[in-house]
Amino acid sequence: MLARATLWWTILRISIEERLVYRGDFALGTLMRFLPIVTQIFLWGAVFSALEAGGGPAQNVAGYTYPDFIA
């Protein structure tokens, strides 16, 4: 009886671990997919703020505005 309970406990524990690993992998993968987008937004924000600080207001770069670059 004890061996059977130990077996079922082990199966339950492994099943829960597998589900948590899957969810963790999904969450980390989702974060990694959005990281380049967020990095690009911060990059263009820094470029436009540096241009504003250096030589007056930078409304556009090569005809594109900040929202154009983000889009």
Side-chain angles (χ1 to χ4, degrees), residues 44-66:
W44 287 116
V47 166
F48 272 85
S49 67
L51 290 174
E52 288 176 1
Q59 297 299 321
N60 60 21
V61 174
Y64 294 101
T65 63
Y66 175 71

Side-chain angles (χ1 to χ4, degrees), residues 7 14 16 21 24 36 61 66-67 69:
L7 175 68
I14 291 172
I16 291 172
V21 166
V61 174
Y66 175 71
F69 274 108

Side-chain angles (χ1 to χ4, degrees), residues 17-30:
E17 286 175 2
E18 285 179 351
R19 289 189 181 256
L20 289 176
V21 166
Y22 172 75
R23 289 181 184 189
D25 181 52
F26 177 77
L28 187 61
T30 302

Side-chain angles (χ1 to χ4, degrees), residues 1 5 9-10 12-14 16-18 22 28 31 37-38 41 43-44 47 54-56 58 61 71:
M1 184 76 165
W9 172 251
T10 303
L12 176 66
R13 187 175 45 101
I14 291 172
I16 291 172
E17 286 175 2
E18 285 179 351
Y22 172 75
L28 187 61
L31 175 68
I37 297 169
V38 172
I41 291 171
L43 170 71
W44 287 116
V47 166
V61 174

